[in-house]
Amino acid sequence: MLVVWIHPENILEVKTYILRRLPVLVYNPQTSKIIESGQSDPSITSLYFDNSQFGLYDNKVAKAPEASSLRLRWFGHLSERPEILFEKKTVDINGDSEETRFPIKEKYVKSFISGEYKLEKTVEKLRERQGSDDDDVARLKNSIEDIQRFIKDNELQPMLRANYTRTAFQIPGDDRVRISLDTDMAFIREDSLDSDRPCRSQEEWHRKEIDGSEMEFPFPAIRQGEISRFPFALLEIRVRDGATKRTNEWVEDLMSSHLVKEAPRFSKFVHGIAQLFEDYVNSFPFWLGDIETDIRRDPEAAFQEEQEKKAKKAEDEQTMGSFLGAKSASSFSAAVGSPVGRSGPASAERHSGVEANLEDVESDHESVQSGEDTPARTSGMRSILPSFSSSRYARAHRRGPVRLPPGIREPGPLIKDAGPVRVEPKVWLANQRTFVKWQHIAMLLGSLSLGLYNAAGEFNNVARSLAVVYTLVAAFAGSWGWWQYVIRCRMIRERSGKDFDNIIGPIIVCVGLVAALCLNFGFKFSAAVTELDQTKSINHMAGGIKGGNESVELINMDAMRADL
């Protein structure tokens, strides 16, 4: 399965691209008369389960073998009495998934979760209809027992609600290519971890204020900290092995275009937990940092990247074929321009004119381009110096001023920088959270140094010196956190394109702590060796004095015998 993100501005273009090859698959449990009259895409609600320690989430993030997830899923609103499915999905190391599911009525969900009811009536009805020896009866019974045992063993409870609108593309009766587009996606807390202010009543299995009022996206009545709206659309492509080569080609063209951004191993369950329960979990998925970035790409740049990948792949296949002694039939010829610029004859003339102008500029400014290619060879510096940044801003900064072609002037303020600064609250909160973390480290080190200084005796200069060192490190940590907080606030206000990361401070704190620990060990070891040497010397002196006294006593006894 292929998973990609789509920017809202590109959704219409992606839909048009897919509709040229696949029709929309309409899901409607009602009559065909209603379908003909028109129907909007259905909204899907998934209710995910986990425990208070978020064990299922941790297994998913750590890619543990046999990592499982459990959810309740239904279409539309609960007031319409839709079919509710209990689904357990297990993913193995190879990425293959195994699903266990069965339908359940709304009135039985709570008793099933608590273990009071095991769907005996459903199993009995199926047995009466198909016979006691039927495989479906045994499969349903095993699924019910497996999921109920899974809930009991892991102490699972509803934690997260994912709501989205789905558009499905598929040829009816042909599942070789199935595509689903999820838009208007929102994640809502469904837990009762805080007993004082639970999001969901502990007596219920879902939030009745949402389902009772048939609340829909964007869920304006939900409190700010209980909802996270996904900023992109999610496209899932499932291609079966029997798909034709032509099908694979247009799917690959879509995946390599500028319209989508790949999101491998993306999970709604993992993303929702990471966004809404960040204070309860310690590990986060790798794609979380891309949520705040602009995933739109320049069509020409995306096309050039894909051409380079295809050329590299063809070269590797040719090299491998020559190495194995086989004839390689793969060949690659680079395209003239991107698909965006090849829509007609006028665009071809325009493209040729642009190429001519570029050739003139290149012939006049070869020295400038040779200077621009130099920073690309410095990418290996990052393996030697970790603080060496290879970002686009850093490369441009190291390159220095660039000579512009004749008739071209440097642009003024960009349009995106005009007007008031509008920054999402989570950007400011992330900066404040980093500042609080630094102050937390400073307080811990300061408390350690104060306790060490007070516990040291009057003549224990080593402990007092180390306490002073820890105090200096704590002061530096607090000052560094405040300084970086001020700098990043200014960068956010100025819409700066500079890198926000700075590893100098953490390195200094780590080096200072390691040095203090090494000095502490060295001083303690030296003091122990000195004390051991002094003990040996005292014992030796005590033995010498005792031997001298015994010699004096023998001499006195000899003198007394002589007198007698």
Side-chain angles (χ1 to χ4, degrees):
M1 183 178 68
L2 305 175
V3 183
V4 295
W5 296 347
I6 303 176
H7 194 274
E9 295 181 359
N10 299 330
I11 293 178
L12 181 59
E13 189 171 355
V14 172
K15 281 187 175 181
T16 305
Y17 182 86
I18 298 175
L19 284 172
R20 291 173 182 170
R21 296 156 180 88
L22 292 177
V24 174
L25 182 66
V26 178
Y27 172 83
N28 195 327
Q30 301 174 0
T31 62
S32 60
K33 184 178 179 180
I34 300 180
I35 296 178
E36 294 174 358
S37 65
Q39 175 202 3
S40 59
D41 295 328
S43 64
I44 301 177
T45 301
S46 296
L47 201 63
Y48 292 96
F49 287 68
D50 208 336
N51 50 37
S52 57
Q53 290 79 30
F54 293 92
L56 302 186
Y57 168 84
D58 292 336
N59 292 337
K60 281 279 189 179
V61 175
K63 300 179 183 178
E66 305 299 327
S68 302
S69 61
L70 184 66
R71 70 177 179 181
L72 285 167
R73 184 167 62 93
W74 65 86
F75 290 81
H77 302 289
L78 280 180
S79 58
E80 300 171 356
R81 298 182 179 275
E83 182 184 38
I84 303 177
L85 293 176
F86 235 126
E87 298 178 338
K88 177 189 174 185
K89 185 177 181 180
T90 303
V91 181
D92 57 14
I93 302 177
N94 300 324
D96 300 329
S97 61
E98 179 184 356
E99 293 188 0
T100 302
R101 67 175 64 182
F102 60 85
I104 187 174
K105 293 184 179 180
E106 180 185 353
K107 60 182 178 179
Y108 297 141
V109 173
K110 179 174 172 52
S111 58
F112 180 83
I113 295 174
S114 61
E116 299 173 359
Y117 182 57
K118 299 183 178 181
L119 300 182
E120 293 90 350
K121 294 182 180 180
T122 305
V123 176
E124 187 63 28
K125 288 181 180 179
L126 184 63
R127 183 181 291 112
E128 292 176 356
R129 187 166 59 249
Q130 298 187 4
S132 58
D133 297 334
D134 191 78
D135 294 337
D136 293 338
V137 177
R139 192 180 302 112
L140 175 61
K141 189 174 181 180
N142 293 334
S143 299
I144 294 173
E145 293 176 354
D146 180 35
I147 291 181
Q148 199 160 44
R149 188 186 314 112
F150 185 68
I151 295 175
K152 183 179 179 181
D153 294 343
N154 295 276
E155 299 179 355
L156 301 181
Q157 57 177 307
M159 282 288 181
L160 175 72
R161 176 191 295 251
N163 184 272
Y164 46 92
T165 302
R166 169 161 293 183
T167 305
F169 303 90
Q170 180 184 338
I171 298 176
D174 185 1
D175 62 346
R176 289 180 297 177
V177 180
R178 294 179 296 162
I179 298 179
S180 61
L181 178 64
D182 298 337
T183 57
D184 297 340
M185 190 182 303
F187 300 95
I188 303 174
R189 291 184 59 166
E190 200 85 11
D191 65 286
S192 57
L193 297 177
D194 189 356
S195 58
D196 296 331
R197 295 184 60 186
C199 300
R200 167 185 55 85
S201 174
Q202 296 182 357
E203 304 298 327
E204 302 293 339
W205 62 272
H206 65 107
R207 296 181 65 165
K208 284 205 166 183
E209 74 273 14
I210 297 178
D211 297 319
S213 60
E214 298 185 356
M215 202 179 300
E216 295 183 347
F217 187 87
F219 300 95
I222 303 299
R223 292 189 290 264
Q224 185 69 26
E226 298 178 2
I227 185 172
S228 174
R229 299 172 182 88
F230 193 65
F232 311 122
L234 188 67
L235 186 72
E236 297 180 355
I237 304 176
R238 295 174 176 87
V239 181
R240 209 175 62 183
D241 294 338
T244 61
K245 181 179 179 182
R246 184 177 179 182
T247 300
N248 292 333
E249 287 179 354
W250 72 260
V251 171
E252 290 178 359
D253 290 341
L254 176 61
M255 293 294 296
S256 60
S257 68
H258 67 284
L259 301 173
V260 300
K261 175 180 173 56
E262 292 188 30
R265 298 187 68 87
F266 178 83
S267 169
K268 299 185 184 72
F269 166 62
V270 172
H271 182 78
I273 293 293
Q275 286 285 90
L276 296 174
F277 297 90
E278 59 180 353
D279 294 335
Y280 293 87
V281 296
N282 296 321
S283 55
F284 297 92
F286 61 90
W287 65 76
L288 202 60
D290 296 335
I291 294 297
E292 304 297 334
T293 61
D294 189 358
I295 65 173
R296 291 173 295 183
R297 293 192 298 168
D298 179 62
E300 189 68 28
F303 176 74
Q304 294 297 336
E305 291 178 5
E306 181 60 22
Q307 292 297 308
E308 293 175 0
K309 290 180 181 179
K310 289 182 178 180
K312 184 67 168 58
K313 181 180 180 180
E315 182 181 356
D316 293 341
E317 290 179 355
Q318 186 175 3
T319 303
M320 184 60 66
S322 62
F323 176 75
L324 297 176
K327 293 183 179 180
S328 176
S330 64
S331 61
F332 173 75
S333 58
V336 177
S338 73
V340 179
R342 289 185 285 149
S343 57
S347 62
E349 295 177 1
R350 190 165 54 252
H351 181 71
S352 62
V354 172
E355 285 185 338
N357 294 334
L358 289 176
E359 290 177 357
D360 295 337
V361 173
E362 289 174 359
S363 61
D364 293 338
H365 302 280
E366 291 179 355
S367 60
V368 176
Q369 292 191 0
S370 61
E372 291 177 357
D373 292 338
T374 303
R377 292 190 292 268
T378 61
S379 60
M381 289 292 293
R382 194 168 181 85
S383 61
I384 302 174
L385 299 175
S387 61
F388 186 84
S389 177
S390 60
S391 64
R392 182 171 59 182
Y393 171 79
R395 293 198 304 268
H397 182 72
R398 290 192 298 270
R399 186 185 306 144
V402 179
R403 293 173 53 192
L404 298 176
I408 304 299
R409 62 181 180 85
E410 186 176 356
L414 301 178
I415 297 178
K416 70 180 183 65
D417 294 335
V421 180
R422 296 178 180 178
V423 183
E424 293 187 8
K426 61 174 61 179
V427 177
W428 299 105
L429 294 176
N431 190 23
Q432 294 174 4
R433 187 162 55 248
T434 307
F435 170 70
V436 171
K437 292 289 186 182
W438 275 105
Q439 302 309 310
H440 180 66
I441 294 173
M443 291 296 295
L444 288 178
L445 292 176
S447 302
L448 175 63
S449 61
L450 182 62
L452 184 62
Y453 189 86
N454 292 333
E458 184 178 357
F459 302 102
N460 194 348
N461 295 326
V462 174
R464 291 193 171 190
S465 301
L466 291 175
V468 173
V469 172
Y470 286 128
T471 302
L472 295 177
V473 175
F476 173 79
S479 303
W480 176 267
W482 175 81
W483 183 51
Q484 288 297 310
Y485 172 75
V486 173
I487 289 179
R488 286 165 181 160
C489 284
R490 185 172 68 250
M491 292 171 65
I492 294 173
R493 286 193 296 267
E494 295 176 355
R495 297 188 179 97
S496 175
K498 298 180 180 180
D499 296 332
F500 279 73
D501 57 330
N502 194 334
I503 63 174
I504 297 177
I507 289 177
I508 293 177
V509 172
C510 293
V511 171
L513 291 177
V514 171
L517 291 175
C518 292
L519 290 175
N520 187 13
F521 176 77
F523 289 149
K524 288 295 183 182
F525 183 77
S526 177
V529 171
T530 304
E531 184 179 357
L532 182 61
D533 293 340
Q534 291 178 356
T535 303
K536 290 181 178 179
S537 299
I538 293 173
N539 292 336
H540 182 70
M541 292 176 61
I545 294 174
K546 183 178 180 181
N549 293 334
E550 291 177 352
S551 300
V552 171
E553 290 179 358
L554 291 174
I555 294 172
N556 292 334
M557 290 177 65
D558 292 340
M560 292 175 63
R561 290 194 190 99
D563 293 338
L564 294 174

